[in-house]
């Protein structure tokens, strides 16, 4: 009996992990499909460079209108398929690892997951952010290059419309798919470090205000808490996201950026400090509802399926 108990415990833990990975994947796909047009606008704004002394887009609304006018509605969804292919493991890893780490740390602290100290929650989130980059970086670089490909058409040759996800993968190779990994880590680890403890805190506080008790946060509280936490975390790491977008874009200046530090220095020198916050509003409008919807879907699945 003593020999079989660890075996069955390991099997149970394995199935729980699979269930959480499945929940995270479905939650991520749902969220990304809804907010992808905003992500397209965010990427175009961050990647735009002056043409004859003038930026192509005057803001988020102007960018949205120009994409629809020149590329049609389908232009707003350029790169969605490879993004979904990347989001499935990315959100699965992030949400599942955070959930499992919170459980482990709560057990170590002798408390419940819902009452985990903020620093333990931050540690769990940072671990999740670190683990997810293995899936995030290839997905992000393919998505960015597809999203900016249409802006590289000098004439109406249609070359940008021929860019495909598999073509980019073949062109970049395995090493190229992990270009800008350091910057992705600088964005995703701090984001998760900030987001997950704030999400848990805000969800609990909102539940207390709405229902007047300290019970498990309701689905509505999870949605609201995740959205607010997403705004704070997304705004905080926007500078890293701007540098990452520039590094991973196929539209490079001459000479090309020589790494993270060189890219940051050149942005500061040529465009000033405010350039690091380009696309902050679209990023917040993209990331906050994405994580709000994803965490809400994840929480609903957990409650319905008992995982």
């Amino acid at each position: 009996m003593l020999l079989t108990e660890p075996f069955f415990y390991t099997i149970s833990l394995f199935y729980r992990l699979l269930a959480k990975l499945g929940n995270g994947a479905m939650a991520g796909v749902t969220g990304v499909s809804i907010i992808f047009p905003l992500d397209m606008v965010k990427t175009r704004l961050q990647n735009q460079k002056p043409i004859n002394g003038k930026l192509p887009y005057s803001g988020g609304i102007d960018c949205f209108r120009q994409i629809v006018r020149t590329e049609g509605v389908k232009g707003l969804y350029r790169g969605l398929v490879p993004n979904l292919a990347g989001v499935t493991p990315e959100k699965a890893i992030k949400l599942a690892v955070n959930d499992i780490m919170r459980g482990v740390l709560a057990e170590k602290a002798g408390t419940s997951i819902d009452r985990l100290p903020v620093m333990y929650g931050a540690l769990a989130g940072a671990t999740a952010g670190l683990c997810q980059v293995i899936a995030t970086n290839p997905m992000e670089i393919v998505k960015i290059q597809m999203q900016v490909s249409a802006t590289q058409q000098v004439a109406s040759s249609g070359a940008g419309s021929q860019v495909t996800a598999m073509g980019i993968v073949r062109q970049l190779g395995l090493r190229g798919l992990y270009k800008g990994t350091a910057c992705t880590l600088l964005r995703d680890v701090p984001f998760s470090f900030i987001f997950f403890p704030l999400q848990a805190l805000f969800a609990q506080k909102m539940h207390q205000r709405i229902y007047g008790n300290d019970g498990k946060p309701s689905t509505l509280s999870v949605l609201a808490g995740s959205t607010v936490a997403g705004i704070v975390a997304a705004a905080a790491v926007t500078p890293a996201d701007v540098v990452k977008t520039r590094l991973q874009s196929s539209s490079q200046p001459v000479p090309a950026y020589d790494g993270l530090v060189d890219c940051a220095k050149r942005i500061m020198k040529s465009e000033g400090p405010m350039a690091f916050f380009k696309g902050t509003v679209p990023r917040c409008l993209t990331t906050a509802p994405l994580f709000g919807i994803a965490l809400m879907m994840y929480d609903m699945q957990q409650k319905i399926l008992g995982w």
Side-chain angles (χ1 to χ4, degrees):
M1 186 69 177
L2 292 176
L3 293 175
T4 58
E5 282 184 355
F7 172 77
F8 284 115
Y9 175 77
T10 302
I11 293 295
S12 173
L13 191 62
F14 175 72
Y15 278 112
R16 283 179 59 204
L17 175 60
L18 285 182
K20 291 180 184 297
L21 288 171
N23 286 353
M26 287 300 297
V29 168
T30 302
V32 167
S33 298
I34 293 172
I35 58 83
F36 195 79
L38 287 173
D39 187 66
M40 169 66 79
V41 172
K42 185 263 310 180
T43 301
R44 292 283 181 91
L45 286 173
Q46 289 183 338
N47 195 62
Q48 67 175 333
K49 300 173 182 66
I51 299 175
N52 297 324
K54 184 179 180 181
L55 291 173
Y57 310 117
S58 62
I61 295 176
D62 178 58
C63 180
F64 184 91
R65 287 174 176 168
Q66 287 196 46
I67 292 173
V68 174
R69 185 172 63 249
T70 59
E71 304 168 48
V73 175
K74 67 179 182 180
L76 294 169
Y77 292 90
R78 186 186 295 271
L80 175 61
V81 173
N83 196 37
L84 287 177
V87 159
T88 301
E90 184 251 318
K91 283 294 179 290
I93 292 169
K94 174 175 274 189
L95 296 180
V97 170
N98 176 71
D99 206 6
I100 290 172
M101 282 297 297
R102 286 179 66 83
V104 170
L105 293 172
E107 185 176 346
K108 182 179 179 180
T111 186
S112 66
I113 291 178
D114 295 330
R115 298 184 182 280
L116 190 69
V118 171
M119 285 309 299
Y120 277 2
L123 177 60
T127 304
L130 181 65
C131 292
Q132 71 154 82
V133 171
I134 192 171
T136 303
N137 211 80
M139 174 269 291
E140 287 269 333
I141 198 167
V142 172
K143 179 198 73 173
I144 288 170
Q145 294 207 12
M146 290 193 73
Q147 287 182 335
V148 302
S149 62
T151 65
Q152 297 170 19
Q153 299 178 60
V154 179
S156 57
S157 59
S161 62
Q162 297 173 10
V163 175
T164 64
M166 287 308 300
I168 293 172
V169 171
R170 283 193 293 267
Q171 178 186 351
L172 294 174
L174 182 62
R175 184 176 179 180
L177 288 172
Y178 282 92
K179 181 180 180 181
T181 299
C183 206
T184 304
L185 284 168
L186 282 177
R187 182 196 66 175
D188 289 352
V189 173
F191 176 89
S192 297
F193 182 88
I194 297 168
F195 173 77
F196 282 108
L198 284 184
Q199 182 273 329
L201 178 64
F202 290 162
Q204 190 65 53
K205 293 297 183 183
M206 289 181 182
H207 180 84
Q208 290 174 354
R209 287 187 65 87
I210 295 171
Y211 298 98
N213 61 62
D214 293 329
K216 190 175 179 64
S218 65
T219 299
L220 180 61
S221 300
V222 170
L223 173 62
S226 301
T227 302
V228 175
I231 293 173
V232 176
V237 301
T238 294
D241 190 51
V242 170
V243 175
K244 182 193 73 67
T245 298
R246 296 288 182 91
L247 282 174
Q248 294 180 334
S249 172
S250 58
S251 175
Q252 292 283 312
V254 180
Y257 295 124
D258 184 25
L260 187 156
V261 175
D262 177 60
C263 181
K265 285 181 177 178
R266 287 165 66 178
I267 292 173
M268 173 66 80
K269 183 178 179 180
S270 62
E271 303 174 52
M274 291 308 297
F276 289 104
F277 293 92
K278 279 184 178 179
T280 298
V281 173
R283 174 168 168 74
C284 290
L285 290 176
T286 299
T287 304
L290 168 58
F291 276 87
I293 294 168
L295 265 294
M296 179 187 71
M297 291 294 296
Y298 187 80
D299 181 71
M300 288 175 63
Q301 291 176 87
Q302 297 274 84
K303 289 175 179 176
I304 293 171
L305 300 175
W307 293 337

